[in-house]
Amino acid sequence: MGFQYLNDKQYAKAETSFSNALSSEALLQEYALYGLAQSQYLQANYASAASNFSRFLDDHNDSILLENGGYYLILSYSNANMTDEALSSADEYLKNYPDGKYAAYIAFKKGEILQTEDDFRNAFRAWNEVDLFYPLSSYAKLARINMKSIAEVHRSLKYHPNPKILFAKGEDAFNRNDFDTASAIFNRLAREFPKHKLTAKAFLMLGRAEMEKGSDDSSIKDIEKSYEMSDTTQQGKSLYYLGRANARRGRYERAANIMYKAATRYPRSEYADSALYYLGFYFEKLDMGDSALWAYMTLINNYQKSYFIDDAILKAGRLYYVKGDYKASHDIYGIAKSLRVGSETPQCLFMWGLTAEKLGNIPNASGIYYYLAERFDHTYQGYRALEKLTKLGYATPRMQDDVSRAKGSNEANIEEVMKDWQDSNPQMLDSMEVSNRINKYERLADMGLEDFAYQEVRQLLSKTDDGQKESAQMTLGRVMQRSGEYARPISLVEGGIRSAVLSGSASKIPQEKWMLAYPKGFWDKVQESSKKHGVDPYLALAVIREESRFNPKAVSRSKARGLMQIMYGTGKGLAKSLKIKPFKKSTMFNPETNIEMGTLYLADLIRSFNGNQSLALAGYNGGPNRVRRWFNNWYNGDYDKLDIDEFVQNIPLSETRKYVQKVMGSYYEYKRIYD
């Protein structure tokens, strides 16, 4: 009742309800106390609110509402003119939540409070830190205005931040992918400390942040400054990023020259192998195949522990393959079997088998395919190897049955999810904290306060010990799926699945984990539309998974929209066929409409490519006219001559090539799990 009254802005009634709850509701004391304080704050009873928010923070220091409570405590103290307490609470908040949702405002508010106390020096310092550490917030501009105003009166005021703290703050923003903030911080450091030992690194980080933002010209200028200022230990790294920045502007010849210097002048640099890899890539862009081969082979021969080793093998093998030198291609692909396993290792092994076929050595090819299917089960290439073995008339390895034939929807009821977690984690139920949180979750859910209940579940699972992390993650994933959130559950488990597949331990992955990674989101509509338009519903699911991770509001860089990422122009034609009126861009954010349009488009592509799903997927991503041009150029339009594995391998656009493999890999998994 208290929270309902708060929503209805009946604050006095809310206060009465929360007061009654405090004396009668033992389990949810923190919610009652927080609600009481908030209702008092909203009635401008700031002293009482401050007292209760303070009590809330002292008595419930593991609450999910802790950050909100700290925020309102500061405002309550400030509005009650309790200056010392407000400043102390602000410092405590910024210490605990330096990147919190209220951090920029609290840092600015601190300056305002200090100004009211005529402490201009510390107010100036506080606002300087707002400008430094929250440069993109709306409060940074206000802070600069206030600093200018104070400085006009108190001309002696100056503030020089610690460069090390500034650099660390910039790095933190960069690592959080907040490249705008990182750029602003590194730019400030480089401008204010031109001769500091960190300045060269700051220019490099500034250039990297600008490169991530797409500001390539600025990136090039700043990385060039970094190179000029760096010592020899840093120059190889600067050259590497300078080459990358130039390549992003399409200056491949210049990029190749820079990467050649980075690789040959600094062979012991941590970026030497990366420089060789990109050098080969840029040479390919310049149609300098032999030079690209030199770069890749130098990497393969000299840096066999490199992160890029499997990709270098794949690219070198492909260069020999397109030249028709299948023997050299076969020999290079075979190297992958004895080196570090990477994401491209299965692809290298598949091409090893394919080149053995090209050389007429079918027994050798079948042995490679058998090894690939067994060792790299659950990869796209592993599934293709199984199909190759069947086509060649050879026995196939026995597939694991642990993920097959999962029935029904994987959207478990939240109560069932929590019961399962409690059953599988009995040792944790002895903990008073765990027991209380479970009880709070159940009580909140019974009251219909689902947002709070959901946050309690997340907090509970975040505190699970390392030994139970996997169980906790899967439980959290199921809770999220129940609420219609699919992307985060996929991200929770897909890294572990990928590692298990590459390490050869995929058979140990439980069925529940596969179902989290490959959810049946919007399943009823997918089935209905797929049946209507003649598409395998699991192929439609695979497209949705790889296109949008089941996010109905997804928008790509090319402005494709919705679950199946449909371009507006394509959407207009589909809408006309489906008689969808009126049609506008926002129409494609409707899940049912988007699925209807996407399955129709996919069905049309499959029919236009003679029933070939891989060609249709290539057209879905890269455009059907482009795919038809490749098909006609390579196979003269003759489907009898089509080698689909060779076709996919030779797709010139890496994004489209990988897209076909990803979607088909997901399709195989969906069929295996549910069909």
Side-chain angles (χ1 to χ4, degrees):
M1 287 177 62
F3 281 110
Q4 185 60 55
Y5 282 135
L6 276 184
N7 288 334
D8 295 340
K9 299 184 179 180
Q10 298 184 50
Y11 304 132
K13 290 183 178 181
E15 182 177 359
T16 300
S17 291
F18 286 126
S19 294
N20 291 335
L22 269 174
S23 60
S24 61
E25 174 57 63
L27 182 62
L28 300 179
Q29 288 282 295
E30 66 191 272
Y31 289 93
L33 184 55
Y34 178 86
L36 174 62
Q38 194 172 44
S39 61
Q40 290 169 336
Y41 177 84
L42 292 168
Q43 294 178 85
N45 189 351
Y46 299 122
S48 296
S51 176
N52 282 315
F53 277 125
S54 179
R55 177 182 161 197
F56 166 77
L57 294 178
D58 289 341
D59 294 349
H60 304 285
N61 57 17
D62 63 344
S63 172
I64 62 172
L65 300 170
L66 210 59
E67 183 181 355
N68 282 9
Y71 168 73
Y72 280 109
L73 176 61
I74 298 162
L75 298 189
S76 299
Y77 278 142
S78 177
N79 289 330
N81 295 317
M82 301 170 71
T83 306
D84 291 342
E85 292 84 350
L87 289 172
S88 176
S89 298
D91 287 338
E92 187 69 15
Y93 177 95
L94 293 171
K95 175 185 174 184
N96 293 329
Y97 310 104
D99 298 305
K101 55 185 174 181
Y102 307 115
Y105 174 70
I106 293 302
F108 179 81
K109 184 69 176 176
K110 182 180 170 184
E112 283 192 323
I113 295 170
L114 288 163
Q115 186 182 34
T116 62
E117 294 293 294
D118 294 333
D119 188 350
F120 300 111
R121 183 172 299 280
N122 282 320
F124 188 85
R125 179 186 182 91
W127 284 325
N128 230 303
E129 289 181 351
V130 173
D131 189 30
L132 279 172
F133 301 143
Y134 309 102
L136 302 180
S137 73
S138 59
Y139 300 105
K141 183 177 180 180
L142 294 174
R144 289 193 292 271
I145 292 171
N146 287 356
M147 282 190 290
K148 182 179 179 181
S149 176
I150 290 179
E152 288 174 354
V153 178
H154 305 275
R155 298 184 182 278
S156 63
L157 289 179
K158 286 184 173 55
Y159 172 68
H160 296 291
N162 185 316
K164 290 182 180 179
I165 294 176
L166 204 54
F167 189 87
K169 196 76 176 178
E171 273 194 319
D172 180 63
F174 186 93
N175 293 334
R176 287 187 284 106
N177 296 327
D178 185 355
F179 302 115
D180 287 323
T181 298
S183 293
I185 292 174
F186 287 123
N187 185 54
R188 176 88 180 254
L189 194 159
R191 187 176 71 248
E192 293 196 9
F193 301 93
K195 296 184 179 180
H196 195 275
K197 62 182 180 181
L198 285 173
T199 304
K201 291 182 179 180
F203 270 119
L204 177 58
M205 293 300 295
L206 174 59
R208 290 178 61 188
E210 288 168 334
M211 186 162 57
E212 294 290 347
K213 289 163 50 184
S215 304
D216 298 318
D217 287 336
S218 297
S219 173
I220 289 169
K221 291 177 183 177
D222 288 318
I223 298 174
E224 284 176 342
K225 290 178 185 176
S226 171
Y227 176 72
E228 292 166 3
M229 299 173 69
S230 297
D231 56 24
T232 54
T233 59
Q234 176 81 7
Q235 284 182 330
K237 184 176 181 178
S238 296
L239 279 174
Y240 167 74
Y241 282 109
L242 184 58
R244 294 286 305 276
N246 274 276
R248 286 173 59 94
R249 294 287 288 124
R251 301 167 182 167
Y252 293 113
E253 186 172 350
R254 176 163 173 72
N257 287 332
I258 293 169
M259 284 300 188
Y260 181 80
K261 291 178 183 177
T264 56
R265 291 185 184 180
Y266 307 95
R268 295 184 180 180
S269 163
E270 61 179 319
Y271 288 86
D273 61 321
S274 306
L276 282 166
Y277 173 80
Y278 281 102
L279 176 58
F281 180 71
Y282 301 151
F283 277 143
E284 284 195 79
K285 288 284 188 180
L286 295 166
D287 292 325
M288 299 171 65
D290 290 339
S291 297
L293 266 174
W294 171 84
Y296 293 136
M297 293 307 299
T298 302
L299 191 160
I300 293 167
N301 292 329
N302 297 333
Y303 302 95
Q304 295 194 345
K305 293 183 179 181
S306 169
Y307 170 82
F308 293 100
I309 190 69
D310 53 314
D311 208 355
I313 291 170
L314 183 64
K315 284 180 163 56
R318 182 184 296 143
L319 284 167
Y320 277 118
Y321 189 97
V322 297
K323 291 169 66 173
D325 191 343
Y326 300 127
K327 176 65 170 63
S329 181
H330 178 76
D331 291 345
I332 289 172
Y333 284 129
I335 297 172
K337 189 173 185 294
S338 60
L339 297 181
R340 182 192 69 83
V341 172
S343 59
E344 300 293 357
T345 299
Q347 178 78 344
C348 292
L349 296 177
F350 185 81
M351 292 305 298
W352 191 26
L354 195 64
T355 50
E357 277 194 80
K358 286 283 188 183
L359 294 169
N361 194 340
I362 304 303
N364 184 24
S366 66
I368 294 169
Y369 291 141
Y370 192 97
Y371 171 77
L372 173 58
E374 186 175 51
R375 172 61 181 78
F376 293 98
D377 188 15
H378 294 284
T379 64
Y380 165 76
Q381 291 79 20
Y383 287 119
R384 289 296 299 138
L386 285 171
E387 294 177 351
K388 280 283 191 180
L389 286 168
T390 301
K391 184 178 180 180
L392 292 172
Y394 284 82
T396 60
R398 181 177 177 274
M399 296 176 71
Q400 298 291 333
D401 294 329
D402 57 348
V403 301
S404 60
R405 297 179 297 280
K407 300 298 182 185
S409 172
N410 55 341
E411 294 184 359
N413 181 283
I414 191 169
E415 288 81 9
E416 294 174 2
V417 170
M418 288 307 298
K419 183 180 183 302
D420 289 348
W421 184 80
Q422 292 175 60
D423 289 344
S424 63
N425 294 272
Q427 77 290 347
M428 293 194 67
L429 302 183
D430 294 334
S431 163
M432 181 65 71
E433 179 188 351
V434 170
S435 179
N436 282 342
R437 204 168 285 283
I438 290 172
N439 290 334
K440 282 191 283 187
Y441 147 74
E442 291 173 342
R443 185 86 168 144
L444 290 162
D446 288 342
M447 290 181 177
L449 296 170
E450 294 179 354
D451 286 345
F452 289 141
Y454 176 57
Q455 290 182 63
E456 287 289 349
V457 173
R458 295 187 64 172
Q459 184 76 354
L460 169 65
L461 300 182
S462 73
K463 291 182 176 294
T464 304
D465 61 58
D466 289 340
Q468 301 296 326
K469 279 292 184 190
E470 187 165 299
S471 170
Q473 283 185 339
M474 287 194 287
T475 303
L476 177 57
R478 292 174 68 192
V479 171
M480 288 178 170
Q481 282 190 349
R482 173 61 180 159
S483 66
E485 185 177 352
Y486 299 98
R488 285 203 59 200
I490 292 173
S491 68
L492 280 173
V493 299
E494 68 178 345
I497 286 178
R498 189 182 304 112
S499 296
V501 168
L502 293 180
S503 67
S505 56
S507 62
K508 297 178 182 178
I509 299 171
Q511 175 178 307
E512 181 184 24
K513 200 167 186 177
W514 288 107
M515 294 172 72
L516 280 180
Y518 296 90
K520 296 173 77 174
F522 308 96
W523 179 236
D524 290 343
K525 182 59 184 178
V526 169
Q527 276 188 305
E528 176 195 323
S529 297
S530 297
K531 183 177 181 180
K532 178 179 176 181
H533 299 299
V535 175
D536 188 327
Y538 294 115
L539 184 63
L541 273 183
V543 169
I544 295 172
R545 183 186 189 273
E546 300 307 327
E547 285 283 6
S548 68
R549 287 296 196 262
F550 297 92
N551 176 11
K553 302 296 184 183
V555 180
S556 74
R557 286 177 296 182
S558 58
K559 304 304 180 185
R561 290 171 168 82
L563 290 170
M564 299 187 76
Q565 291 289 275
I566 299 169
M567 297 293 291
Y568 179 66
T570 303
K572 281 181 70 175
L574 293 168
K576 187 175 181 180
S577 298
L578 293 167
K579 298 180 180 178
I580 297 172
K581 294 180 180 179
F583 177 75
K584 48 190 177 182
K585 291 177 181 178
S586 60
T587 305
M588 291 185 286
F589 292 130
N590 179 284
E592 294 196 352
T593 304
N594 195 281
I595 291 170
E596 186 77 18
M597 297 169 81
T599 50
L600 172 60
Y601 184 48
L602 188 58
D604 286 345
L605 286 171
I606 292 172
R607 282 191 289 270
S608 74
F609 286 109
N610 204 35
N612 191 291
Q613 292 176 329
S614 294
L615 290 179
L617 291 172
Y620 196 99
N621 177 264
N625 292 333
R626 183 182 281 144
V627 174
R628 289 190 189 95
R629 185 167 64 250
W630 295 334
F631 177 60
N632 291 331
N633 289 343
W634 299 343
Y635 301 101
N636 220 14
D638 188 346
Y639 282 95
D640 291 335
K641 295 179 181 178
L642 173 65
D643 182 330
I644 193 58
D645 297 301
E646 183 180 68
F647 180 91
V648 172
Q649 175 70 11
N650 289 330
I651 291 175
L653 302 177
S654 62
E655 179 187 327
T656 301
R657 181 169 64 249
K658 291 175 181 177
Y659 176 83
V660 173
Q661 295 172 349
K662 284 193 298 184
V663 176
M664 287 302 296
S666 287
Y667 171 62
Y668 287 127
E669 291 299 343
Y670 272 115
K671 297 280 283 186
R672 184 170 178 176
I673 295 168
Y674 298 106
D675 193 4

